[in-house]
Amino acid sequence: MKKVTLQMIADQLQISKSLVSKALANQKGVNEETKEKVRLTAMNMGYMINSSALSISASRTGNVAVVVPRSDLKDFEYWGRILHGIEKALSEKSFSMILSGIDPNVATSEGLPSCVTDRKVDGALVLGAVPLAYILAIQVTGIPVVLVDVPHFVQMKLDHVLAENNLGGYDATKYLLDRNHRRIGFVGDVSYASSFAARHAGFLDAVKDFKTEREVEIEAVSFTDARGDSIIPYSLGDADIERIRETGLTGLVCGNDPVAFEVMQSLERVGLSCPQDVSLIGFDNVQKCQWVTPALTSIDACKETMGTRSAEMLFRRMQQTDFRAEHVRITTEIIERESVRSL
């Protein structure tokens, strides 16, 4: 295979070789759009990082960077379980975790953690809604990278650990259908993350399969418009509540547990109770599921296992840099509580 050079990348983009070099080195004076375009092109062309030029230490640092948006750290119950799995797996190999929060709105030249830019770590685990520009900036340093539950970038040829979101959405829906719910809905902004889109796809697949196998009529309604915020990615409006009443929905699959908690409160405000009027199933099985009344039935994605598995993949990537990237999906399990009733 012909070695890809800086000049070949420059020719592909019709820019100067020096601009390519500066972009790959994440230097100031190059705008972020150009950096991202150069990095993407370099990766797609198979450009190999020159390790010696990056002054890599001959010995291991014993450190791994865990890069996560600071806004995601507000939801520490969710990410904390993944971080616990990572820390446990790293400590077993005598590695330390350097937790590095980033601001996705800041340019990579300013916001990329110094432990990464100065190559004070042996690898990086990227968690949550980290922008593509940051992932590419970390990748071009030559540091091994593993993605953990990163939305929107499931097509990237990088090692990636995710929950089996499609199957989880399928199982949650079938759980309602098996309990004789025939008018059901899915609640969650599918543009929020690829995980929500996959869970919604599982919802639709389960409805389709059940109708075919049982030859029964099912009314399925989707509340999937862009709405809510980074913590609660959907909030039922008055029109949604009216639609639930009009269609007589008896069960809802929610994109995640925070959505389910919000839906539960919205239903209570208009005099609808869970599970007597509407049964609810969440996703992620956060600890709060046990505290609310009624306790929330939820899909558990085993977040600690996701963290452990991602660290194991990173160790392997450190040892074997040339093997093909893997996407590992951790299977889910329904945790039954009190928010679903049989009809």
Side-chain angles (χ1 to χ4, degrees), residues 172 175-177 179 181 250-252 274-276 278-282 294-298 334-343:
Y175 186 84
L176 288 176
L177 294 171
R179 283 152 186 77
H181 291 267
T250 62
L252 295 172
C274 170
Q276 288 78 14
V278 182
S279 293
L280 295 177
I281 298 183
L296 182 67
T297 294
S298 185
I334 294 178
I335 306 300
E336 298 180 281
R337 295 193 179 93
E338 301 163 4
S339 62
V340 176
R341 75 181 183 103
S342 299
L343 301 181

Side-chain angles (χ1 to χ4, degrees), residues 9-316:
I9 299 170
D11 292 343
Q12 178 71 22
L13 294 171
Q14 297 185 332
I15 59 178
S16 69
K17 179 181 175 181
S18 63
L19 183 56
V20 171
S21 179
K22 290 179 180 178
L24 291 177
N26 200 31
Q27 293 182 8
K28 295 181 180 180
V30 183
N31 66 56
E32 292 304 307
E33 183 179 355
T34 299
K35 287 180 181 178
E36 187 170 332
K37 191 177 296 183
V38 169
R39 291 163 182 162
L40 270 174
T41 301
M43 294 304 148
N44 289 336
M45 292 178 68
Y47 177 72
M48 299 298 293
I49 303 297
N50 184 346
S51 299
S52 61
L54 294 169
S55 302
I56 300 174
S57 172
S59 60
R60 293 288 188 193
T61 67
N63 297 321
V64 167
V66 177
V67 180
V68 58
R70 292 192 185 96
S71 59
D72 281 353
L73 289 174
K74 295 177 182 177
D75 189 10
F76 195 78
E77 184 183 352
Y78 176 90
W79 293 106
R81 293 162 66 188
I82 293 179
L83 291 171
H84 183 265
I86 291 172
E87 194 280 330
K88 181 179 178 182
L90 292 180
S91 64
E92 288 177 354
K93 297 285 188 179
S94 299
F95 275 74
S96 298
M97 178 176 72
I98 301 178
L99 183 59
S100 303
I102 65 160
D103 182 349
N105 298 313
V106 174
T108 58
S109 56
E110 301 292 336
L112 203 64
S114 60
C115 64
V116 173
T117 56
D118 297 341
R119 296 186 59 78
K120 302 289 187 175
V121 293
D122 300 316
L125 296 169
V126 177
L127 278 62
V130 174
L132 177 61
Y134 272 84
I135 296 173
L136 292 170
I138 296 170
Q139 192 179 14
V140 297
T141 65
I143 294 172
V145 182
V146 174
L147 308 183
V148 188
D149 203 18
V150 176
H152 305 304
F153 302 130
V154 293
Q155 288 78 29
M156 288 192 71
K157 292 183 178 180
L158 290 173
D159 295 318
H160 199 167
V161 181
L162 311 99
E164 185 56 90
N165 291 298
N166 186 285
L167 182 59
Y170 189 103
D171 287 346
T173 307
K174 193 171 183 299
Y175 186 84
L176 288 176
L177 294 171
D178 285 342
R179 283 152 186 77
N180 295 315
H181 291 267
R182 297 294 180 261
R183 295 186 298 277
I184 61 176
F186 178 92
V187 183
D189 174 10
V190 295
S191 67
Y192 170 72
S194 56
S195 59
F196 272 48
R199 292 166 193 176
H200 179 239
F203 167 82
L204 296 176
D205 288 343
V207 169
K208 180 181 177 182
D209 290 349
F210 200 88
K211 288 170 68 174
T212 301
E213 293 169 6
R214 303 291 183 89
E215 296 182 346
V216 295
E217 285 302 315
I218 300 170
E219 184 163 4
V221 180
S222 296
F223 303 92
T224 55
D225 297 336
R227 191 181 304 175
D229 55 39
S230 61
I231 303 300
I232 304 174
Y234 199 92
S235 181
L236 289 177
D238 292 340
D240 297 327
I241 296 293
E242 186 59 32
R243 193 176 181 193
I244 289 173
R245 288 186 184 277
E246 289 177 352
T247 54
L249 298 186
T250 62
L252 295 172
V253 175
C254 299
N256 66 4
D257 292 332
V259 170
F261 302 143
E262 181 74 9
V263 169
M264 190 179 291
Q265 292 180 354
S266 297
L267 293 174
E268 288 177 355
R269 283 194 291 267
V270 297
L272 295 174
S273 63
C274 170
Q276 288 78 14
D277 296 312
V278 182
S279 293
L280 295 177
I281 298 183
F283 205 112
D284 289 330
N285 191 36
V286 299
Q287 195 169 13
K288 186 179 176 181
C289 291
Q290 304 173 60
W291 302 342
V292 296
T293 304
L296 182 67
T297 294
S298 185
I299 303 296
D300 183 74
C302 203
K303 298 299 180 184
E304 186 167 334
T305 298
M306 290 176 63
T308 301
R309 189 71 182 91
S310 66
E312 292 170 350
M313 292 176 73
L314 185 62
F315 291 140
R316 183 184 175 194

